[in-house]
Amino acid sequence: LKNSQIVDNEIKELMISHEKVAHVQLNNPLDHALLVLIKSGYTAIPVLDTEYKVQGQISKAQILDSILGIERIEMERLHDYKVCDVMTTKVPKMNKNETFGKALMLSINHPFVCIEDDEQSFIGIMTRRSILALIHRYLGK
Amino acid sequence: LKNSQIVDNEIKELMISHEKVAHVQLNNPLDHALLVLIKSGYTAIPVLDTEYKVQGQISKAQILDSILGIERIEMERLHDYKVCDVMTTKVPKMNKNETFGKALMLSINHPFVCIEDDEQSFIGIMTRRSILALIHRYLGK
Ligand SMILES: Nc1ncnc2c1ncn2[C@@H]1O[C@@H]2COP(=O)(O)O[C@H]3[C@@H](O)[C@H](n4cnc5c(N)ncnc54)O[C@@H]3COP(=O)(O)O[C@H]2[C@H]1O
Ligand SMILES: Nc1ncnc2c1ncn2[C@@H]1O[C@@H]2COP(=O)(O)O[C@H]3[C@@H](O)[C@H](n4cnc5c(N)ncnc54)O[C@@H]3COP(=O)(O)O[C@H]2[C@H]1O
C-alpha cells in the first residue's frame, strides 16, 4: 500500500467541518472556555481569532492548572484570565490540499490537526479517529 | 500491505509496559485519583483491582463532573467518593498474542487499549500514538 493509493480528496471527506468543531476565541474569559470544554466533552479544542484563523488550542487541564490553589481549585479566579493567557500556541495545521501522509505524520503526536484553506482560514479538523478508521478500511482490502 | 506483514510481536515492543502506566485502584478515593491524573498529565488512565486485573478507566472529566455543583466545583466532596463510583467499566482489552489488526480496530474509538496476559493480568497499554507511528513507518516503505 503506497501513500498515493490513499486518495487525497479523502481529507476533505474525513475532516470534521468547522461548524461541527467546538472552539473558543482568543479573548474569551476562562469560565466561558471551561464551560464550552465541559459541555462539548472534549479534552482540548482549537482557539480562533476574530478572522477565523487558528491561533492555538486549549485544554481542560490547562485551565484547571492555572487556578489550582493549595487547598482547592479557585473557580472564582477563572473570570480574571483569558484563553490567550493559558492556551498553547503549538497546534498542528495543514492546508486542505496537502497529502494524507502529512496528516498521518502530524497525528502521531497530536490527537487532532487543524485544516486551513489557501487564506489560512480554519475549515475543520482531522482527528486520529478518522485517520485510524481510514487506515483500517484500507488494510482490510 | 497486508496485516500479516506487520509483524505481530511488535505489539509487545510497541506496548507501554505496566510499570510506566499511571493507574489507580477501584477503592481509591477520588481526591487521590484526581491527583494522580493531574500529576501524570493524562486525560484518562486504567483502573486495576487488587489482583492487578483491569476493571475500567477513569478520566479527569468524570471526576470533575461528579462534584460539579451549581456555583463551583465542590472539591471537599472528592474524599466521599471512590474510583469505582465514577469510572467507566467499558475499556478495550486484548490478549498479548492477538494481532496488530485487532489493536488497530479497537484504537479507532479508544485512545488506548489495555493488554493482558493469559491469566488476564494487566501487562501494559497500546496507545494510538504507537499504532500511528508504526503505520507511518510501514507506509513509508
Ligand atoms: N462525544 C464523543 N462521542 C464519541 N467518542 C468520543 C466523544 N468524545 C471523545 N470521543 C472519543 O475519545 C477520543 C479522545 O477524545 P478527546 O476529547 O480526548 O480528544 C479529541 C478532541 O480534543 C478533538 N476533537 C474531536 N472532535 C472534536 C470536535 N467536534 N470539536 C472540537 N474538538 C474535537 O480531537 C481529539 C481527538 O478526537 P478523536 O475523535 O480522534 O478521539 C476521541 C473519540 O474516539
Ligand atoms: N506527557 C506527555 N508527553 C508527550 N505527549 C503526551 C503526553 N501526554 C499526552 N501526550 C500526547 O497527547 C495524546 C493524548 O493524551 P491523553 O492523555 O489525552 O490520552 C492518553 C492517556 O489517556 C493514555 N496514556 C498514554 N500514556 C499513558 C501512561 N503512561 N499511563 C497512563 N495512561 C496513558 O492513552 C491516551 C493516548 O495516548 P497517546 O500517547 O496515544 O496520545 C497522547 C500523546 O500524543
Side-chain angles (χ1 to χ4, degrees), chain A residues 71-128:
Chain A
E71 289 267 309
R72 61 192 188 83
I73 290 183
E74 297 163 2
M75 295 299 279
E76 62 286 3
R77 288 174 55 205
L78 279 179
H79 200 69
D80 303 342
Y81 296 103
K82 290 184 179 168
V83 166
C84 52
D85 296 330
V86 302
M87 73 181 194
T88 177
T89 51
K90 187 174 169 293
V91 56
K93 295 183 271 190
M94 58 186 269
N95 180 282
K96 66 184 186 326
N97 296 318
E98 292 191 79
T99 64
F100 176 80
K102 175 149 188 182
L104 169 60
M105 194 188 67
L106 289 173
S107 75
I108 293 172
N109 283 313
H110 299 92
F112 66 90
V113 180
C114 292
I115 311 294
E116 302 176 320
D117 65 13
D118 295 334
E119 285 77 47
Q120 256 116 45
S121 290
F122 177 66
I123 57 171
I125 60 172
M126 279 282 279
T127 61
R128 279 174 166 174

Side-chain angles (χ1 to χ4, degrees), chain B residues 51-113:
Chain B
E51 291 171 24
Y52 223 67
K53 292 188 167 44
V54 177
Q55 296 297 338
Q57 67 176 24
I58 192 165
S59 69
K60 273 180 212 157
Q62 282 172 319
I63 296 178
L64 293 172
D65 288 350
S66 72
I67 53 165
L68 202 59
I70 298 297
E71 290 264 308
R72 59 190 189 84
I73 291 183
E74 298 164 4
M75 295 300 278
E76 61 286 3
R77 289 174 54 205
L78 279 179
H79 200 70
D80 303 342
Y81 296 104
K82 290 184 180 168
V83 166
C84 52
D85 296 330
V86 301
M87 73 183 194
T88 177
T89 50
K90 187 175 169 293
V91 55
K93 295 184 271 191
M94 58 185 271
N95 180 283
K96 64 182 185 330
N97 295 318
E98 293 191 75
T99 64
F100 176 80
K102 175 148 189 184
L104 170 60
M105 195 188 66
L106 289 173
S107 74
I108 293 171
N109 283 313
H110 299 92
F112 67 90
V113 180

Side-chain angles (χ1 to χ4, degrees), chain A residues 22-63:
Chain A
H23 63 271
V24 285
Q25 295 267 324
L26 274 174
N27 290 317
N28 287 154
L30 283 190
D31 48 0
H32 170 76
L34 186 59
L35 208 65
V36 172
L37 279 161
I38 288 179
K39 284 180 89 174
S40 74
Y42 296 116
T43 300
I45 57 180
V47 177
L48 307 181
D49 63 19
T50 48
E51 290 169 26
Y52 221 68
K53 292 190 167 44
V54 177
Q55 296 297 338
Q57 66 175 27
I58 192 164
S59 68
K60 274 180 214 160
Q62 282 172 317
I63 295 177

Side-chain angles (χ1 to χ4, degrees), chain B residues 16-31:
Chain B
I16 296 178
S17 186
H18 65 95
E19 320 86 52
K20 291 182 195 145
V21 176
H23 64 272
V24 286
Q25 294 267 323
L26 275 175
N27 290 317
N28 287 155
L30 282 190
D31 47 1

